Amino acid sequence: MPRCLLSQLVHAELITPKLEESLAFFTQIGGLYLVHREAERAYLRCWGDHYTYSLILTQGELPALGHAAWRTWSPEDLEQAVRNIEASGVQGEWVEGSFGHGPAYRFRAPGGHTLELLWEVERYQAPPERASTYPERPQRFTGGGLEPRQLDHLTVASSDPYRDAEWFRRVLGFRFMCYNGLEDNPDLVVFAMVTTNEKNHDLAFAKDMSPIPGRLHHLAFWVDNRELHQRAADLLLEAGVPLEYGPGIHGMGEQTYLYFREPGGLRIEVNTGGVRNYVPDWEPVRWRPSQGSNTFYRNTAMPDSMLEAFPPAEKVAAADLELVPDSQQPNPWGKRGLG
């Protein structure tokens, strides 16, 4: 099996048409910490992030994914990853001068999503008022807002989830964990999960019937336990934020989930729990909805709104933009930062 060249998801950039409102939400309700601000961009961190930040908010026309970044295991693995990507027929570019990390290789994955790979990264040094009494913690836990410990995973929209999962397994060594088909057509894969570590996934692909490349389904943050997860649902409702789906437990990966929308319109998940898988020669598992793939207890349906991705497909006709699915074209909306 291919050796995984990447260690972890380190940050994601979200494009928001309401930067100030999104920033206020993530800091005041979400419990993230602002570490750096530019005119149209803000950098935020979770209290448990070992690096300077894990979320970038960038002003843009419509809600979208700007880019997401993974760190490699070593400088040599970064070089090997670039060779593998280019050998697969994808051509990226080196980006320098980003806040908080060194040179990054930026490329578009088969579904059109902009991703970065990097090695050199700035570790967070907490100011005295945020320093933890526990030496392994980068920052103290204060319990303000949702206050997730760290960024957990990214789920993107894909015209072919199985194909994309296979590409990340073959080219970058992700572990292909599982996939889900339709009940009456199990071969039509509508969801697939891959991971760089023992979690069930840090990247997933949801079926997208639109021809628009590079769309986002959701970004997920981790809290330590189910008590904090239930507390998050309480805090969101008291703040007037509707819960789109959950709380509940997924069958695939057995994560406890909770989905909602932030002010810019993007879907955010708070999750916890989940199985840890250390099997080195794991083979992807096929699921069906009736087995509880999406809802562990098999007693509730996912709302239709969870099929929406960002930017919304109905905002602009893809044909009018001359878009071709899976052609390495960038998503046409929003400004893209350097991260």
Side-chain angles (χ1 to χ4, degrees), residues 2-135:
R3 182 176 66 84
C4 189
L5 301 171
L6 312 183
S7 64
Q8 65 188 119
L9 175 67
V10 289
H11 70 252
E13 179 192 24
L14 300 181
I15 308 299
T16 170
K18 300 179 179 180
L19 177 58
E20 300 306 325
E21 293 180 40
S22 294
L23 177 58
F25 172 85
F26 278 105
T27 54
Q28 297 172 17
I29 299 174
L32 273 67
Y33 298 83
L34 178 66
V35 294
H36 182 66
R37 179 65 198 266
E38 299 170 2
E40 295 189 334
R41 185 170 295 118
Y43 297 78
L44 301 97
R45 59 176 282 101
C46 303
W47 71 269
D49 287 332
H50 289 280
Y51 310 135
T52 302
Y53 62 91
S54 57
L55 176 64
I56 308 169
L57 298 175
T58 299
Q59 180 72 42
E61 181 183 352
L62 291 174
L65 174 69
H67 75 277
W70 274 260
R71 193 181 186 210
T72 61
W73 284 105
S74 68
E76 294 76 21
D77 284 340
L78 177 55
E79 295 173 359
Q80 183 63 56
V82 172
R83 287 195 291 270
N84 290 1
I85 290 169
E86 294 183 349
S88 77
V90 175
Q91 187 65 46
E93 62 179 354
W94 286 97
V95 176
E96 299 195 24
S98 299
F99 173 72
H101 65 79
Y105 185 76
R106 176 170 287 197
F107 66 99
R108 293 195 188 100
H113 305 92
T114 301
L115 305 180
E116 287 183 351
L117 305 183
L118 57 93
W119 165 250
E120 296 176 12
V121 66
E122 182 181 278
R123 285 175 168 78
Y124 181 68
Q125 297 294 323
E129 67 273 14
R130 292 185 186 172
S132 174
T133 58
Y134 297 100

Side-chain angles (χ1 to χ4, degrees), residues 280-292:
D281 54 352
W282 181 261
E283 293 294 331
V285 173
R286 182 205 295 254
W287 284 77
R288 297 194 316 275
S290 62
Q291 296 171 314

Side-chain angles (χ1 to χ4, degrees), residues 227-307:
E227 287 77 14
L228 289 174
H229 193 268
Q230 291 174 344
R231 175 178 176 272
D234 193 336
L235 290 172
L236 287 166
L237 288 172
E238 291 285 20
V241 179
L243 306 184
E244 183 178 17
Y245 186 34
I249 301 175
H250 292 308
M252 300 172 74
E254 298 185 35
Q255 292 94 357
T256 300
Y257 63 83
L258 169 63
Y259 299 92
F260 57 93
R261 307 286 181 98
E262 57 82 42
L266 292 158
R267 180 181 297 109
I268 302 297
E269 179 187 7
V270 173
N271 75 339
T272 191
V275 297
R276 296 293 183 263
N277 187 317
Y278 302 92
V279 179
D281 54 352
W282 181 261
E283 293 294 331
V285 173
R286 182 205 295 254
W287 284 77
R288 297 194 316 275
S290 62
Q291 296 171 314
S293 55
N294 197 40
T295 304
F296 183 88
Y297 298 111
R298 313 172 197 179
N299 63 350
T300 185
M302 183 181 73
D304 290 343
S305 66
M306 287 291 293
L307 299 175

